[in-house]
Amino acid sequence: MSKVSMTVNGKAVSGDVKGNTLLVEFLREDLRLTGTHVGCDTSQCGACTIHVNGKSAKACTMFAAEADGADITTVEGMANADGSLSVIQQAFQDHHGLQCGFCTPGMVMTAAALLKENPKPTEAEVRHYLEGNICRCTGYHNIVKAIMAASGQDVSAIAAE
Amino acid sequence: MPKDQGIGASTKRREDVRFLTGTGNYTDDINLHGQLYVHFLRSDVAHGKINSVDTSAASAMDGVVRIFTGADFEGIGGLPCGWQVTDRHGEPMKEPAHPVLAQGKVRHVGDPIAAVVAESVQAARDAAEAIEVDIEELPAAVDMKEAVKDGAPLVHDDIGTNLCYDWGFVEENKAATDEAFANAAHVTTLELKNNRLVANPMEPRVAVGDYNRANDESTLYTTSQNPHVIRLLMGAFVLGIPEHKLRVVAPDVGGGFGTKIFHYAEEAFCTFAARQLARPVKWTSTRSEAFMSDAHGRDHVTKIELALDADNNFTALRTETYANMGAYLSTFAPSVPTWLHGTLMAGNYKTPLIYVNVKAVFTNTVPVDAYRGAGRPEATFQIERVIDKAARELNVDPIALRRQNFITEFPYATPVAVEYDTGDYNATMNTLEEIADLSGFAARRAESEKRGMLRGLGVNCYIEACGIAPSNLVGQLGARAGLYESATVRVNATGGITVMTGSHSHGQGHETAFPQVISEMIGIPEEMVEIKHGDTANTPMGMGTYGSRSLAVGGSAMVRAAEKVINKAKKIAAHLLEAAEADIELKDGTFSVAGTDKSVAWGDVTLAAYVPHNYPLEDIEPGLEETAFYDPSNFTYPSGAYCCEVEVDPDTGKVTIESFAAADDFGNIVNPMIVSGQVHGGIAQGIGQALLENCAYDENGQLLSASYMDYAMPRASDVPFYQVDHSNGTPCTHNPLGVKGCGEAGAIGTPPAVINAIVDALRSGGHDHVYHIDMPASPSRVWAAMQK
């Protein structure tokens, strides 16, 4: 066991972890931040996407020990300070960008990383950036639309709700 | 102006807030005090005799509490099958035992041999590796047609055959159908496969069993689409726990698509082990485990023939299908290739004679059961592909050939035993032609060709039967369950309403859409209505969500219960207003006396019901809460027309979906936003089936596609924006909302559109020999088709 300390959603946290404890296990089991999900075991689905030092990462692909000293943001840290939905979260609700909600935390985190890198992405750029996030419910239509809307682009010409 | 409340409004989903902020409560988020973890040791061979399972070394390892094997389940019921099919000769299907843990033999890769219960997941996994299993590997039955030949390896020795049933439908039509073929001017024949798929909801399955010794009550938290069904099946048939001592909770569930309907061994195990050990026992599936333990879908091999007269009217249709059951009968597996498939073989067409033969086959593969659409995608793919081939053979326009043969008068009794209540297939086709801009296709093809690409257009129709189902009818057809739905409408004293529904949401948005209906009926804001579902302790016995039935059946139950509430509330209002009950009207949340200005507000009536000081106690009871069970009198029949445009790279065979349009008739629509979302998701799954997804076994029964590295899920860049339209609703005539259901349409209507488009593209490139490409139409398959 080794002690790790990190900042998660602005709060200093620490814990004892085994060498092979995954970061996602530390977040979910030790910190009880269950918004970060596990949808696969091959780093393909992206349901566990978080931000590590401002960049998106898959929490199933990092050991907790590797995150020692890091600044972590999970979906629980994405709402505005007053608890209201952030622009990206609100766009997902406004455009029906989620159904069962299981991939959603990862989608929100990936979308935030994209818009930080590329504030006005094209449809093709959004789709390409989502290659590491699988959604089985929405057919991606409303996720892509929500992310483009969150970037301030007019999406009214995109078909249907 | 679009409405902002009630039926027809695109109300934003209230459940989204918790999902977007990470505060949902999925089963894997549940951890109970003193919880243990189970890891299943699963067979890595397709077929084998278990000589011994030695757990002694593993049992002594740190953290191991107990290891269970098949021997621990002797005398305990196996997993039951919920549907018995009767074959062509009047014989019941073969129904082999399905033990919770393998006994004597393993029958598919993933069959659980032992279950290690330990203090941590890691301890359980480590111990599982230390179990010594002596399995004598046996030849495996994998290919269905080989499996039914004499001398094939038997999946179940005791039943002496791999043929589960040989079903004919409608048997009495067979001779006349054969005669029509003999007299046909033209016969089109097509052999095709409906590829095996894995449903892959993004949330893997999870089960947490708990036991309270103080009151002898068991609780199972599980990723289910139908907790009451699990309670009944597991309690009555597997573990012998009466329902009043068993609670099943399906909290937030991360997608289902059919595969979370069924009762699985892991659910029974966790409930059983929690009782044995008097501690909670949790199992969380990995994705790799899901591929070898979740029921798979589809996997049909079919020969279909279509007979036409000299004027291109369809005169008869005949099919022979081999349907894979896998190694055991999953909960509703026998119904999928029969009653959910054969009854749909008329499609949208007035073909007078139809005969369907289905041979269901046991193989050494994971059990196969319902996956989004369940039987109806298989039927639609056959019908729409054979029509497309016929049009090409006859050199007629595929849309014109369809229109010529459309059913146009309703109700319409098909030759395959169902009666379509409403529909307007020309209307959806007209809309499709408009939204897909078919008139502009030639110019788009020319533009593609300038870039050296082949462009193809595929159009097809579909019909499905959902709103499942009339209980007395399905009982005659072999269902061992009723298929009604239930709802309790509980009006609270201050006027807010809690609806407890037996229906279950795992992404469909019940918590938003169901209140829209109540809001419309009473005239109160949607926010005053809350939906409870997913817990057998606080919802009436209901059958859950699948078969696009939630609103059509569950919504109807809620309407019936709300009507009872309103009727009682009117009696109370009549008393308060000193008027005749018949004169009371309810509008915008206010009861008034017709023709007067006398009125009383909804909240005053509800308060009177619970504070009955001025109240007709001699006539009616206090309180305002009603329950209804709704049993549909018919299926509902959504229909539509779909169009796909593809580009094919002639150098590589790579297919790109350029556009996709869907014009559906879902009857009345409660929330258009949610309906569109359902169609989008179904289209993506249909594109996945047509282009990407394939669950593959090798000849030894090894599962080759057991991870997202090997099983190609559709990703954002594989699909376009979709054009969807549901403006041609012809209301269902037999449920109170006039709704038909929209959950499966996309997955049903999409695959043939994609394949029709690819065939069209290849033929436009001079490959006139191409009439069909099997799914998934991978670049290698498409490229190979162009080389002949």
Side-chain angles (χ1 to χ4, degrees):
Chain A
M1 299 289 264
S2 61
K3 187 173 168 70
V4 292
S5 301
M6 61 190 86
T7 305
V8 178
N9 301 330
K11 277 192 239 171
V13 300
S14 60
D16 293 317
V17 297
K18 290 182 181 168
N20 63 357
T21 299
L22 299 173
L23 179 55
V24 70
E25 293 169 341
F26 181 68
L27 294 170
R28 286 182 55 82
E29 306 299 329
D30 293 44
L31 304 184
R32 303 296 303 140
L33 292 171
T34 55
T36 303
H37 295 153
V38 180
C40 76
D41 43 15
T42 51
S43 299
Q44 290 286 305
C45 81
C48 66
T49 305
I50 59 169
H51 293 176
V52 179
N53 297 325
K55 292 195 168 167
S56 72
K58 290 182 175 176
C60 73
T61 313
M62 279 181 75
F63 293 117
E66 289 179 273
D68 191 36
D71 184 16
I72 306 282
T73 307
T74 70
V75 73
E76 288 93 341
M78 292 300 283
N80 297 325
D82 65 356
S84 61
L85 297 180
S86 67
V87 170
I88 291 171
Q89 290 169 319
Q90 189 61 57
F92 269 71
Q93 186 188 30
D94 290 347
H95 297 282
H96 191 26
L98 63 151
Q99 290 180 27
C100 82
F102 196 80
C103 77
T104 306
M107 288 288 178
V108 168
M109 301 311 288
T110 297
L114 166 62
L115 296 187
K116 195 171 157 190
E117 285 175 28
N118 182 356
K120 289 274 185 279
T122 64
E123 178 198 343
E125 287 168 341
V126 174
R127 290 185 186 277
H128 179 71
Y129 203 87
L130 292 177
E131 68 180 355
N133 291 77
I134 303 175
C135 170
R136 194 56 154 170
C137 294
T138 65
Y140 302 101
H141 183 110
N142 286 334
I143 292 177
V144 176
K145 191 174 175 182
I147 294 172
M148 293 178 74
S151 77
Q153 301 183 68
D154 180 4
V155 295
S156 58
I158 297 170
E161 289 82 7
Chain B
M1 273 290 286
K3 292 176 73 174
D4 63 358
Q5 287 264 311
I7 291 174
S10 282
T11 303
K12 292 175 197 170
R13 298 200 329 167
R14 60 179 74 179
E15 47 270 75
D16 289 0
V17 176
R18 69 176 187 271
F19 297 142
L20 282 161
T21 53
T23 50
N25 184 36
Y26 298 88
T27 310
D28 193 44
D29 302 340
I30 295 170
N31 289 302
L32 303 177
H33 182 68
Q35 173 177 289
L36 298 167
Y37 300 83
V38 58
H39 178 79
F40 292 94
L41 175 67
R42 297 180 183 276
S43 177
D44 56 7
V45 299
H47 194 195
K49 180 168 175 287
I50 302 172
N51 288 327
S52 64
V53 182
D54 181 355
T55 61
S56 52
S59 295
M61 290 172 67
D62 280 351
V64 174
V65 174
R66 189 165 157 193
I67 300 178
F68 295 81
T69 67
D72 293 295
F73 284 84
E74 277 173 19
I76 292 171
L79 302 172
C81 180
W83 203 299
Q84 179 183 285
V85 165
T86 302
D87 80 0
R88 292 178 62 194
H89 312 292
E91 297 293 318
M93 68 184 189
K94 301 290 189 295
E95 194 171 353
H98 186 180
V100 173
L101 296 176
Q103 292 171 348
K105 269 174 63 164
V106 288
R107 296 186 174 85
H108 65 85
V109 169
D111 210 359
I113 300 165
V116 182
V117 181
E119 299 287 348
S120 69
V121 175
Q122 198 162 339
R125 281 186 192 158
D126 289 347
E129 287 183 15
I131 296 175
E132 291 185 26
V133 182
D134 177 6
I135 289 185
E136 177 187 340
E137 193 170 352
L138 300 169
V142 181
D143 179 89
M144 286 189 278
K145 289 186 180 175
E146 293 297 321
V148 293
K149 288 182 181 165
D150 288 344
L154 290 176
V155 180
H156 297 275
D157 304 278
D158 54 331
I159 60 175
T161 174
N162 289 326
L163 186 63
C164 176
Y165 55 75
D166 180 8
W167 184 76
F169 187 68
V170 173
E171 200 59 35
E172 293 72 28
N173 289 351
K174 185 173 188 305
T177 305
D178 291 345
E179 192 183 331
F181 271 91
N183 297 327
H186 182 85
V187 174
T188 295
T189 303
L190 184 60
E191 295 191 33
L192 47 80
K193 291 181 180 165
N194 205 289
N195 42 329
R196 179 185 276 242
L197 303 176
V198 182
N200 274 303
M202 292 317 298
E203 178 204 33
R205 288 189 297 117
V206 181
V208 187
D210 190 21
Y211 178 63
N212 184 344
R213 270 194 291 194
N215 57 14
D216 189 33
E217 278 186 14
S218 289
T219 301
L220 170 69
Y221 301 88
T222 183
T223 48
S224 177
Q225 301 174 213
N226 31 243
H228 282 281
V229 174
I230 302 305
R231 184 177 68 155
L232 179 61
L233 292 175
M234 183 174 76
F237 296 97
V238 187
L239 299 179
I241 306 170
E243 288 110 303
H244 63 281
K245 292 291 187 187
L246 179 59
R247 174 183 172 208
V248 177
V249 184
D252 286 330
V253 173
F257 312 114
T259 205
K260 290 176 181 169
I261 298 171
F262 321 119
H263 178 38
Y264 285 98
E266 296 87 355
E267 296 172 318
F269 179 83
C270 289
T271 309
F272 174 81
R275 290 172 72 90
Q276 294 281 308
L277 303 170
R279 287 176 69 180
V281 175
K282 180 174 185 175
W283 172 71
T284 301
S285 177
T286 64
R287 182 59 60 184
S288 303
E289 218 177 351
F291 275 105
M292 58 177 117
S293 66
D294 289 6
H296 293 174
R298 316 281 194 260
D299 205 354
H300 287 194
V301 176
T302 295
K303 178 183 177 188
I304 180 167
E305 298 165 283
L306 175 66
L308 300 94
D309 68 15
D311 297 323
N312 296 339
N313 297 309
F314 304 161
T315 56
L317 187 86
R318 187 163 64 184
T319 71
E320 181 187 38
T321 288
Y322 288 79
N324 209 331
M325 293 287 103
Y328 303 99
L329 289 179
S330 176
T331 311
F332 291 110
S335 67
V336 175
T338 51
W339 301 109
L340 294 174
H341 164 249
T343 52
L344 273 298
M345 288 306 298
N348 309 57
Y349 311 101
K350 49 192 179 197
T351 314
L353 288 163
I354 296 174
Y355 179 72
V356 179
N357 174 239
V358 177
K359 296 175 177 72
V361 182
F362 292 114
T363 60
N364 290 111
T365 63
V366 171
V368 181
D369 205 326
Y371 163 57
R372 199 173 195 170
R376 292 151 285 168
E378 295 91 322
T380 302
F381 189 67
Q382 295 166 48
I383 297 164
E384 296 298 327
R385 285 295 303 125
V386 81
I387 292 173
D388 213 66
K389 186 179 181 193
R392 296 186 188 287
E393 287 177 346
L394 296 164
N395 202 25
V396 297
D397 175 55
I399 296 176
L401 181 61
R402 287 177 168 86
R403 285 187 186 269
Q404 174 184 340
N405 286 282
F406 273 163
I407 296 160
T408 52
E409 290 177 15
F410 297 87
Y412 177 81
T414 74
V416 276
V418 290
E419 184 174 288
Y420 302 162
D421 57 345
T422 55
D424 187 343
Y425 309 146
N426 277 305
T428 48
M429 185 62 87
N430 293 343
T431 298
L432 183 79
E433 293 196 14
E434 189 182 315
I435 64 173
D437 184 26
L438 293 201
S439 59
F441 175 71
R444 294 192 293 276
R445 171 175 273 174
E447 192 277 329
S448 294
E449 286 172 348
K450 264 191 222 160
R451 289 183 285 107
M453 305 296 274
L454 303 177
R455 196 174 187 104
L457 176 80
V459 169
N460 64 275
C461 302
Y462 78 90
I463 181 149
E464 59 158 324
C466 51
I468 293 172
S471 293
N472 55 3
L473 173 63
V474 297
Q476 290 167 26
L477 304 183
R480 291 163 170 165
L483 284 167
Y484 53 83
E485 196 48 87
S486 63
T488 296
V489 173
R490 175 179 295 162
V491 184
N492 301 303
T494 58
I497 294 177
T498 310
V499 177
M500 278 71 74
T501 172
S503 191
H504 185 276
S505 179
H506 30 280
Q508 295 89 343
H510 293 29
E511 292 170 40
T512 298
F514 278 32
Q516 292 181 243
V517 174
I518 297 289
S519 166
E520 184 80 27
M521 291 177 74
I522 299 177
I524 56 175
E526 291 167 15
E527 303 79 62
M528 287 178 67
V529 186
E530 195 75 21
I531 305 299
K532 298 287 180 200
H533 64 95
D535 185 344
T536 60
N538 63 21
T539 55
M541 170 76 178
M543 300 310 290
T545 288
Y546 40 82
S548 306
R549 70 194 300 275
S550 290
L551 198 59
V553 190
S556 295
M558 180 178 67
V559 168
R560 291 286 184 249
E563 285 169 352
K564 291 187 196 179
V565 159
I566 290 168
N567 286 342
K568 183 171 178 183
K570 282 184 174 174
K571 286 187 169 63
I572 301 167
H575 176 88
L576 295 175
L577 293 166
E578 298 176 335
E581 188 188 327
D583 294 335
I584 302 294
E585 295 172 346
L586 171 62
K587 192 168 180 245
D588 297 334
T590 301
F591 296 92
S592 55
V593 182
T596 75
D597 59 358
K598 288 168 68 180
S599 68
V600 58
W602 169 254
D604 292 328
V605 171
T606 62
L607 190 64
Y610 291 95
V611 187
H613 297 163
N614 175 19
Y615 194 86
L617 285 166
E618 62 281 8
D619 295 328
I620 51 176
E621 298 168 3
L624 198 50
E625 171 173 329
E626 299 287 349
T627 295
F629 286 73
Y630 178 83
D631 205 286
S633 61
N634 192 356
F635 294 87
T636 61
Y637 299 95
S639 62
Y642 282 25
C643 176
C644 180
E645 262 184 63
V646 298
E647 258 190 10
V648 178
D649 183 335
D651 295 330
T652 64
K654 177 159 174 51
V655 176
T656 309
I657 307 280
E658 294 298 315
S659 67
F660 201 99
D664 293 290
D665 170 1
F666 295 133
N668 293 333
I669 304 284
V670 170
N671 185 317
M673 176 192 79
I674 289 176
V675 168
S676 294
Q678 290 291 310
V679 177
H680 295 159
I683 292 172
Q685 290 184 6
I687 290 173
Q689 170 164 28
L691 290 187
L692 299 164
E693 297 178 41
N694 194 39
C695 179
Y697 282 92
D698 74 7
E699 65 277 14
N700 300 315
Q702 272 301 329
L703 179 56
L704 302 176
S705 51
S707 81
Y708 287 152
M709 313 290 277
D710 312 291
Y711 186 95
M713 293 280 279
R715 300 187 190 229
S717 53
D718 295 317
V719 295
F721 282 128
Y722 320 104
Q723 296 280 339
V724 302
D725 175 278
H726 24 77
S727 63
N728 293 296
T730 57
C732 171
T733 56
H734 56 80
N735 66 44
L737 291 167
V739 298
K740 295 184 173 181
C742 65
E744 296 164 292
I748 293 167
T750 297
V754 177
I755 301 300
N756 289 351
I758 296 170
V759 170
D760 185 55
L762 297 195
R763 293 176 67 91
S764 78
H767 305 288
D768 289 340
H769 61 282
V770 177
Y771 285 100
H772 180 66
I773 290 185
D774 269 327
M775 302 186 290
S778 59
S780 65
R781 278 189 179 156
V782 174
W783 187 85
M786 288 189 283
Q787 307 313 307
K788 285 173 192 161

